[in-house]
């Protein structure tokens, strides 16, 4: 394929395709649904379905699937063919509006946090017409939301769509106060995706990578990332070919893959698409991850999306660049040129500062998982403390505002910026603070705490909802005000005073920040187990219920499902370690000490000094004994973990006891690796995995 402009989006039922294939009135109705959320008539849906099917069949598709995002964190799909029997024993290809709009997958085996018992397993998927359908693997994929028959949401998409709606409503209220004609605000996201590539043949020899996605053992290689030579470094041919293929596949699916480069750790890379509407970005990111993994196999590689595949070098994250755009094309986080624009920008900015301070716990838990716990606070990703970085220029402006030097509240119609204070609003914020979780980067916020394997839905649901909440409070106070400028000024000053503690422009990796943050009263939830229970804190239930994003029951269900997953992940890791230790590591150690013992005997009977072999043999025996003890400890803890009844209690046990015991086992096993000859070690080493790509 050569001409990108020609094949870009060729596998997507996008606006251009719809415009050319659908009757005018149907196309218009669909656009209205997409842009205004109006519902679609059944006959219109029938026309769209038939046209979608014809288009898909012309491109070789035989099946369709409702594509959804259950709480597993992976996407799910059930394929049905288009065939329908005819009287003469043949088939025709059919697809109705009903089939397009609603699907009924048997939902019993998806995690629901207890919301839906298996005997009432009915769930349904509903078409999300705002995210385009596409063709992959001879199948027409229809993006959908997934709910139970009783109306509880069972997926990650529905709350995201709801949060986008509520943010739009509240932001439009604020915009009206500034005289804007905008009727809708759309949140946008550009997720930067990090990943590792390892050789498939090496991968296949490591049970830990196969079962858990990360290495559970492995002594450090002599070389890691200390030379800083991989970041933006020359891309190896094999990796380059992979990236080239990846771009092509993504472009065909209408995904704006834009930037690719080597990341900090050896064998680590990044792909960033151009930003788009949040729900489309979430769908496209899920699709990107899937294609990354699939395509790697074609190149004899395996793509690791785990947050921490290797100890001792950086893990992978996903930076969530977020902003808000009006339907008139104005980016609300773009400071703008006139004083009026600037004040509007500051209003949104301060609403965000308030939101992040009030709901730091939610932002923290939106990125919580057993695997992401390895990164946060480990000086390779932002700390678990949520704070905002604004940069010195914006900070100066806020300081001026807080001390009353900002908005003149005289009689003139125009906003006037206080004379002494103001530097120009920064146009290009190149101030790169990479240690902050939530950084303003010129015309958007970059939330940097997300894990590479996670979907971006949960985080964006939370960002949208908490910002909507600030905007709602602002609008409630300002609507009907008889002196808008003064009231706005007072409100902004007061809000800033109250919430500025969450602003931190310093080094987030510095140990002193932990103490400083504690003094400021900012929460620091180190692990998933500390963070998750706050989902159902009263203030958070009130927030979500007031916007109908989640109900109390749904929040509890999500907390339970996530904590259960946490425990299960650690359980699988512990079992994998036990398996590898018993079946591979100990036997290697024993084989080596036996060989040494034999050498000792042979040398001694030949009258040769065997003190080195003796020393080595006893060292290896000691290590094997230590491994055996650690294995017994871990074994009994895994059994004991099953007795823990409550979900939270169980998760705590996994973190405090099982995980700690895993660390001890790893430490002695890694020591043994350094003591055993290369040819006796049962699986590829860190050096092999990271440097032989
Ligand atoms: P860096 O690595 O320097 O942070 P990248 O260029 O790798 O920058 O990624 C920046 C991301 O931010 C891209 O995905 C880009 O499309 C996205 N982005 C830019 N403007 C916006 C916006 N208004 N809303 C959301 N995302 C945006
Ligand atoms: Mg970035």
């Amino acid at each position: 394929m050569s001409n990108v402009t020609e094949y870009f989006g060729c596998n997507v039922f996008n606006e251009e395709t719809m415009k050319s294939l659908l009757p005018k009135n149907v196309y218009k109705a669909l656009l209205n649904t997409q842009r205004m959320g109006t519902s679609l008539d059944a006959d219109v849906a029938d026309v769209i379905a038939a046209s979608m099917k014809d288009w898909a069949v012309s491109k070789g598709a035989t099946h369709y699937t409702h594509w959804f995002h259950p709480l597993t964190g992976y996407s799910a799909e059930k394929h049905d063919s288009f065939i329908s029997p005819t009287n003469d024993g043949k088939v025709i290809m059919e697809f109705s509006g009903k089939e397009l709009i609603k699907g009924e997958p048997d939902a019993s085996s998806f995690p629901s946090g207890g919301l839906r018992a298996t005997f009432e397993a009915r769930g349904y998927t509903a078409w999300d017409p705002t995210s385009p359908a596409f063709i992959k693997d001879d199948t027409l994929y229809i993006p959908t939301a997934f709910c139970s028959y009783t109306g509880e949401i069972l997926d990650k998409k529905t709350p995201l769509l709801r949060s986008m709606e509520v943010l739009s409503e509240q932001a439009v209220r604020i915009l009206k106060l500034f005289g804007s004609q905008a009727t809708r605000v759309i949140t946008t996201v550009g997720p930067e995706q990090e990943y590792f590539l390892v050789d498939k043949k090496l991968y296949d020899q490591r049970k830990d990578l196969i079962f858990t996605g990360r290495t559970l053992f492995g002594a450090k290689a002599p070389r890691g990332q200390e030379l800083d030579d991989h970041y933006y470094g020359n891309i190896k041919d094999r990796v380059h070919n992979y990236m080239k293929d990846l771009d092509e596949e993504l472009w065909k699916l209408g995904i704006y893959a834009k930037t690719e480069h080597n990341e900090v750790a050896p064998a680590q890379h990044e792909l960033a698409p151009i930003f788009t509407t949040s729900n489309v970005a979430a769908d496209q990111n899920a699709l990107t991850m899937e294609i990354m993994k699939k395509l790697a196999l074609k190149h004899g590689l395996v793509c690791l999306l785990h947050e921490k595949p290797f100890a001792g070098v950086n893990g992978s994250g996903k930076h969530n660049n977020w902003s808000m755009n009006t339907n008139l094309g104005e980016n609300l986080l773009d400071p703008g040129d006139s004083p009026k624009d600037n004040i509007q920008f500051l209003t949104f900015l301060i609403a965000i500062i308030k939101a992040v301070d009030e709901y730091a716990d939610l932002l923290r838990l939106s990125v919580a998982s057993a695997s992401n716990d390895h990164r946060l606070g480990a000086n390779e990703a932002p700390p678990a403390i949520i704070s905002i970085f604004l940069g010195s220029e914006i900070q100066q402006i806020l300081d001026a505002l807080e001390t009353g030097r900002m908005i003149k509240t005289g009689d003139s119609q125009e906003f006037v910026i206080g004379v002494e204070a103001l530097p120009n609003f920064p146009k290009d914020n190149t101030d790169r603070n990479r240690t902050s979780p939530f950084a303003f980067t010129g015309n958007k916020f970059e939330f940097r705490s997300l894990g590479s394997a996670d979907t971006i839905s949960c985080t964006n649901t939370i960002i949208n909802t908490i910002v909507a909440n600030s905007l709602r409070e602002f609008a409630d106070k300002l609507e009907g005000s008889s002196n808008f400028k003064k009231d706005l000024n007072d409100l902004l000053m007061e809000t800033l005073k109250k919430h500025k503690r969450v602003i931190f422009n310093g080094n987030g990796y510095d140990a002193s920040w932990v103490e400083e943050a504690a003094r400021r009263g900012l929460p620091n939830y180190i692990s998933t187990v500390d963070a998750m229970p706050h989902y159902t804190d009263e203030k958070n239930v009130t927030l979500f219920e007031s916007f109908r994003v989640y109900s109390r029951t749904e929040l509890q269900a999500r907390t339970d499902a996530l904590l259960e997953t946490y425990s299960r992940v650690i359980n699988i890791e512990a079992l994998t370690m036990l398996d590898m230790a018993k079946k591979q590591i100990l036997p290697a150690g024993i084989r080596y000490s036996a060989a040494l013992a034999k050498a000792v005997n042979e040398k001694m009977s030949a009258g040769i000094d065997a003190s080195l072999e003796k020393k080595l043999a006893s060292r290896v025996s000691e290590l094997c004994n230590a491994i055996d003890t650690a294995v017994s400890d871990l074994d009994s803890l895994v059994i004991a973990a099953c007795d823990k009844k409550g979900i939270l209690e169980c998760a705590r046990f996994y973190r405090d006891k099982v995980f700690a015991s895993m660390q001890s086992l790893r430490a002695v096993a890694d020591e043994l690796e350094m003591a055993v000859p290369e040819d006796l070690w049962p699986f590829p080493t860190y050096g092999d995995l990271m440097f032989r790509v």
Side-chain angles (χ1 to χ4, degrees), residues 188 190 192 270 272-275 321 323 331 432 434 444 446:
T188 52
E192 300 164 56
E270 179 183 298
I274 297 171
F275 71 95
N321 296 276
S323 190
N331 177 354
R432 310 297 294 175
R434 297 206 164 265
K444 60 186 184 323
E446 182 172 0

Side-chain angles (χ1 to χ4, degrees), residues 416-445:
V416 182
I417 303 266
V419 267
E420 10 154 16
L422 293 182
N424 283 333
F425 271 69
K427 278 281 158 267
D428 174 29
N429 190 330
T430 40
D431 215 347
R432 310 297 294 175
N433 178 324
R434 297 206 164 265
T435 65
S436 172
F438 208 86
F440 183 67
T441 51
N443 61 359
K444 60 186 184 323
F445 271 98

Side-chain angles (χ1 to χ4, degrees), residues 497-517:
K497 279 209 175 83
K498 200 163 159 202
H499 297 292
K500 66 177 180 185
R501 63 172 191 164
V502 80
I503 302 171
F504 178 61
N505 294 315
N507 179 3
Y509 292 177
D510 207 296
S512 63
W513 169 231
V514 178
E515 290 161 28
E516 167 67 18

Side-chain angles (χ1 to χ4, degrees), residues 561-573:
L562 285 161
L563 283 171
E564 269 172 355
T565 302
Y566 175 89
S567 298
R568 284 176 193 156
V569 165
I570 297 185
N571 189 53
I572 293 170
E573 290 182 345

Side-chain angles (χ1 to χ4, degrees), residues 131-167:
S131 181
F134 56 90
I135 296 175
K136 188 168 73 72
D137 304 328
D138 301 327
T139 301
L140 172 68
Y141 278 71
I142 299 155
T144 60
F146 180 42
C147 306
S148 79
Y149 255 92
T150 42
E152 281 100 1
I153 44 183
L154 298 173
D155 71 346
K156 302 204 170 204
K157 174 117 193 216
T158 317
L160 176 61
L161 291 171
R162 287 193 196 169
S163 75
M164 290 166 69
E165 279 309 312
V166 300
L167 182 121

